[in-house]
Amino acid sequence: MAERSFATEVEKLRLGAGDEFRGEGILAVTKALLQSGVSYVAGYQGAPISHLMDVLTDANDILRELGVRFEHSASEATAAATLAASVNYPLRGAVTFKSTVGTNVASDALANLASGGVTGGALIIVGEDYGEGSSIMQERSHAFAMKSQVWLLDPRPNLPSIVAAVEQGFELSEASRTPVMLELRIRACHVHGSFVAKDNRRAAFTLKDAMEQPRRDTERIALPPSTYLHEQEKVTQRWPAAVRFIQERGLNEFFGEEAQDFGIVLQGGLYNGVLRSLELLGLADAFGNSKVPLYVLNVTYPLVDAEFTRFCAGKRAILIVEEGQPDFIEQAVHAMLRKADVQTRVHGKDMLPMAGEYTGGVLLKGIARFVEQMAPALLEGRELPQAARPTPPAAGPRTIAIQDATSQVHGRPPSFCTGCPERPIFTAIKLIERELGPHHVSADIGCHLFSILPPFNIGATTMGYGLGWAGAAAFNTPETDKRTLSIMGDGGFWHNGLTSGVGNAVFNQTDNVLVVIDNGYSAATGGQDVLSSKADNPIRATRHPIEKAVRGVGVDWVRTVDNTYSLERMREVLREALTTKAKGPKVIVASSECMLNKQRRVKPLTRKAISQGQRVVRERFGVDPDTCTGDHSCIRLSGCPSLTIRDNPDPLRRDPVAAVVDSCVGCGLCGEAAHAAVLCPSFYRAEIINNPSRWDRLRQRVRDTVIGFLQGRIERRLEGLAA
């Protein structure tokens, strides 16, 4: 694996009862799984939960010692289906993926699981990718929990609460025979802290026991008429059992319940932000002592009517702090209080934004507004923090100045890493479109999606991971000779693309083109290995060529480019695919190793070799400022972060010249682009030699002498002309 190793950190997973565990949220989740007697774990990587899979991979020896089966699943659907082991057997299982896209992929399996219910505890750990740091469309997991009636935990973002949520999640699942979803926001995944560890537990009933003593219960299978019974069971048995468990175990928490005649109800994951806002308003301290009553929903579905009516008793109003939209919790609270004839006024989205992440500033402003309306005396004599002050009604000089400054700041859209092997693919597409005209390009999820932004501006749609070719399916028409171009990464290919894209194209006899970008890893999610990875992996099978897979499902026209940095080769293959008279689906496999992962692998080896006195040669590229014309097509065609502009050294020319900065990794694309576009000869290649040999030193002295002589001759000639 190319992602950072957690081999040192996972040794903390061996801590026993009474030991203090210190570390990151994801590591604490793993420890909690082992303390809970989990039997199997599966999942698919994706932000913000990616490195839970990496931790589990590095902890595989510890998992095996405890009899835990860990599997890196082919997709989120595969992972969710793994929970079938808990349907008939008292086996605790956990799966993990990002939400909501991963939950969408897994929805069929999860809906079937939730319908029939489980015997053992089934825990779904999702990375809630909502808000400013998100990489996907803005949706919440809450809707899925409501749709399939899966209980949803949203613990306070500290290690003891997260660990308790994992342990209690299994117990809640078993008590109510229902799968439980545990959502962790990005800050919860990366929060650091400590908790008192327990001994790891080996499951009393093992996977071996289940395989040797098979059980079946047809009433657990989602097949009519059982499905009608499942729905009734959810309402009459499982839901009440879950509510009882939540109340009896005190999963939700109350703080300062009698402090005021108003209070705040909040999702557990927002606790830190709410408490910090109250602290800034002088209404709480850093240790959690609040002067405003708080009802913390560590379980956001199902809601417990009795707890709400208890919290609202004697209160004039409550503020619901619910991040995102729709306002599911707020609507439910309105209904339950009216049914109970409790007249407490409910505020929520009238004080806080309907959509968007509830950052510290957003929470501070909304809570200040609520407190000022309910009890202004609590804020009297206090100067409100700037973020809590109301926005001025009209734009003053300072606001106008900020707006003017903002208009001068250049946008910084996300882009490919320095030396990325995907960049030359899109450079080649730009060049081929100069010849053949524009084509409809169907994009896909992954690093290659950056091609939709400048400088490439390639890609019209993206419909999901591995759905790049499926996204162009409607254009499978014989009424034109022009072909569409679809993009797919190797991660998306193995996740979903082989069947939904390639298989579909073969079955429906498409005449369009697919480019599979094979960079050797599931790179966008952190560099995890896939089936076609060329690296050896001790616990997974790799080195399965993509070309062999697509030929296996019926594609005859396949070309593999094993060096994407060769722009001429990439352009030739694209031209052939888009113009050939051959009919049928056409696949180009563009293969070069992800440069970021390559650097992670190569740099430590290079540093070691240099420190040992070995001769090491590194390539770098540069631009001769005297030759550069200032056209900058090299930048427009590659967009490499190592390419920039500098003032022209020639006082008679005003256009800035191109320049290569020190972050260059020597991929050579800039020079290739200049050559392929027939631009200019201004690029040069240089070799940086560490620990040079005697021969290297001699050659350098000779070069310096010759260059010095020639430069001196030029200077003498210029002096003569000036005289």
Side-chain angles (χ1 to χ4, degrees), residues 460-472:
T461 57
T462 177
M463 299 307 295
Y465 198 31
L467 295 177
W469 214 2

Side-chain angles (χ1 to χ4, degrees), residues 114-427:
S115 182
V118 295
T119 299
L123 190 64
I124 306 141
I125 304 169
V126 298
E128 186 73 351
D129 197 14
Y130 180 90
E132 293 180 353
S134 172
S135 62
I136 56 163
M137 75 289 289
Q138 293 297 275
E139 294 183 359
R140 298 167 57 195
S141 299
H142 199 103
F144 188 92
M146 295 171 64
K147 185 269 294 182
S148 289
Q149 289 178 296
V150 171
W151 315 141
L152 181 62
L153 306 185
D154 186 4
R156 290 195 287 144
N158 60 66
L159 265 56
S161 295
I162 292 171
V163 170
V166 172
E167 296 171 339
Q168 293 166 347
F170 282 120
E171 296 171 1
L172 173 60
S173 176
E174 290 163 345
S176 60
R177 295 179 57 87
T178 303
V180 170
M181 186 179 290
L182 169 63
E183 72 171 4
L184 296 173
R185 293 171 174 81
I186 186 168
R187 290 173 178 81
C189 291
H190 298 292
V191 69
H192 282 254
S194 66
F195 65 94
V196 178
K198 300 176 185 175
D199 289 332
N200 295 333
R201 286 172 46 197
R202 188 182 183 91
F205 186 88
T206 66
L207 295 167
K208 176 176 179 290
D209 295 330
M211 293 175 68
E212 294 178 352
Q213 303 169 48
R215 304 176 188 175
R216 62 190 298 268
D217 180 357
T218 55
E219 291 189 357
R220 295 299 101 203
I221 298 174
L223 178 71
S226 294
T227 47
Y228 313 129
L229 297 175
H230 295 166
E231 184 180 29
Q232 293 300 315
E233 185 182 89
K234 284 181 179 180
V235 175
T236 61
Q237 297 179 35
R238 295 192 219 160
W239 191 319
V243 169
R244 283 196 302 272
F245 184 91
I246 294 165
Q247 286 184 283
E248 291 170 2
R249 295 296 186 90
L251 268 59
N252 295 322
E253 299 172 283
F254 297 85
F255 299 96
E257 202 169 352
E258 305 297 332
Q260 305 290 339
D261 63 352
F262 61 92
I264 299 175
V265 179
L266 61 141
Q267 294 168 298
L270 299 178
Y271 174 81
N272 289 0
V274 170
L275 191 70
R276 176 60 175 159
S277 297
L278 290 171
E279 183 184 357
L280 290 172
L281 295 172
L283 301 176
D285 62 26
F287 302 99
N289 300 306
S290 174
K291 297 178 182 178
V292 175
L294 302 178
Y295 175 26
V296 181
L297 299 175
N298 293 314
V299 183
T300 53
Y301 187 80
L303 300 176
V304 181
D305 293 31
E307 290 187 351
F308 269 93
T309 54
R310 164 191 153 186
F311 184 73
C312 291
K315 290 186 174 61
R316 291 180 291 143
I318 59 171
L319 173 67
I320 307 286
V321 181
E322 175 185 8
E323 186 176 58
Q325 52 78 38
D327 49 350
F328 298 116
I329 297 174
E330 187 175 341
Q331 292 178 39
V333 172
H334 273 291
M336 74 171 66
L337 294 185
R338 297 300 83 83
K339 287 177 183 177
D341 197 25
V342 174
Q343 299 307 310
T344 302
R345 186 166 183 176
V346 177
H347 293 281
K349 299 299 185 182
D350 57 335
M351 299 284 180
L352 290 156
M354 173 61 80
E357 183 179 352
Y358 282 2
T359 60
V362 170
L363 287 171
L364 181 58
K365 186 171 289 187
I367 291 172
R369 183 180 173 190
F370 174 67
V371 174
E372 194 168 31
Q373 181 172 314
M374 299 308 303
L378 291 177
L379 301 179
E380 280 183 7
R382 295 192 58 85
E383 183 178 353
L384 294 182
Q386 184 67 39
R389 296 173 191 171
T391 305
R398 183 171 178 272
T399 305
I400 294 172
I402 291 173
Q403 291 172 348
D404 290 342
T406 302
S407 67
Q408 301 301 315
V409 176
H410 292 288
R412 298 185 63 188
S415 187
F416 300 98
C417 300
T418 300
C420 176
E422 301 183 15
R423 193 188 306 278
I425 298 169
F426 298 104
T427 299

Side-chain angles (χ1 to χ4, degrees), residues 54-70:
D54 302 324
V55 167
L56 289 165
T57 298
D58 287 332
N60 197 52
D61 290 343
I62 299 174
L63 299 179
R64 284 179 173 174
E65 291 170 12
L66 295 167
V68 180
R69 168 63 183 172
F70 166 57

Side-chain angles (χ1 to χ4, degrees), residues 419 424 565-567 595 619-621 664-675 683 685:
Y565 297 105
S566 174
L567 271 182
M595 183 58 72
E619 287 189 346
R620 291 291 184 273
F621 285 78
C664 170
V665 295
C667 72
L669 174 60
C670 51
E672 283 274 346
H675 176 72
F683 282 89
R685 181 175 61 86

